[in-house]
Amino acid sequence: MQPHELITALAARRLVAIVRGEDPEAALDTVLTLARSGIDLIEVSLSGADALDVISQSRKALGPRALLGAGTVLTAQDAVLAAEAGAAYVVTPAVTEAVAASRDLGLPVLAGALTPTEVVAALRAGAAAVKLFPAGPGGVELLRALRAPFPDVPFVPVGGVDVATARDFLAAGALAVGVGGPLVGRAADGDPTGLADRASAFRALAEGAS
């Protein structure tokens, strides 16, 4: 995947589903359920149990064109392992060595940043887009404040984003939003109760914002 392809996918879907869990089999089932529900831009966090195997198995099940990425990528070695597992893009929680390493591996990066200085650092390191993280405490006003000096930067708020705040962030100019718990719930830990309904609600929101 090229950086412009990640931007195109974010602009079209408006939603990144974040899967993180302690049950690898349940996490894999969650990825596949989300994909079947029409939410196909999915990040599997490396902080989950056996996350690299979840990515690998998801890639085998969904095929080579699936929009499957690795999240919580912190180091250059994390980036290498994510690429080997089949991640098409990388998401970091901050501007770490993983940003440049992923770029050098040919993986577009959604790099975490919260301040103007961090936004500039992310872009200089080669990020394709900026993950505004954690977005919850600053809310929509933080996004608006950052977009004033950086109107052309593609921002993806993550952290504290639910259906209501997702709608507000998208209306305020976010390219997309990243959602974990409010969408996935405890499905990746073995309890899929309500996952299909939540997926339907978030998909409707994303489609309405497109």
Side-chain angles (χ1 to χ4, degrees):
M1 175 180 279
Q2 297 298 314
H4 74 273
E5 293 175 312
L6 176 59
I7 297 299
T8 298
L10 289 166
R13 273 76 175 179
R14 310 301 303 275
L15 174 66
V16 182
I18 303 168
V19 176
R20 176 190 295 105
E22 295 306 313
D23 183 334
E25 185 174 344
L28 174 59
D29 288 343
T30 300
V31 170
L32 301 183
T33 297
L34 288 168
R36 287 193 298 268
S37 299
I39 299 175
D40 61 352
L41 187 56
I42 302 171
E43 165 198 338
V44 177
S45 172
L46 296 191
S47 62
D50 294 330
L52 290 167
D53 187 59
V54 173
I55 294 171
S56 179
Q57 294 300 319
S58 297
R59 174 61 66 200
K60 291 176 182 176
L62 297 174
R65 298 183 64 82
L67 301 171
L68 182 67
T72 322
V73 177
L74 296 172
T75 67
Q77 181 65 8
D78 285 343
V80 170
L81 294 174
E84 292 175 347
Y89 60 92
V90 159
V91 184
T92 73
V95 183
T96 73
E97 64 184 58
V99 179
S102 299
R103 177 202 63 203
D104 292 344
L105 289 166
L107 295 175
V109 186
L110 178 57
L114 186 63
T115 68
T117 299
E118 292 171 355
V119 170
V120 171
L123 297 175
R124 287 179 175 171
V130 172
K131 167 184 170 180
L132 181 58
F133 178 78
V140 173
E141 291 309 313
L142 174 60
L143 174 63
R144 290 192 178 117
L146 286 172
R147 291 194 71 236
F150 304 113
D152 298 323
V153 172
F155 284 103
V156 180
V158 178
V161 179
D162 57 19
V163 169
T165 55
R167 183 179 295 108
D168 293 340
F169 277 122
L170 293 172
L175 179 66
V177 292
V179 185
L183 168 57
V184 174
R186 292 191 52 78
D189 295 317
D191 180 7
T193 304
L195 177 60
D197 289 340
R198 293 190 298 273
S200 178
F202 273 100
R203 182 180 176 187
L205 168 68
E207 290 176 346
S210 295

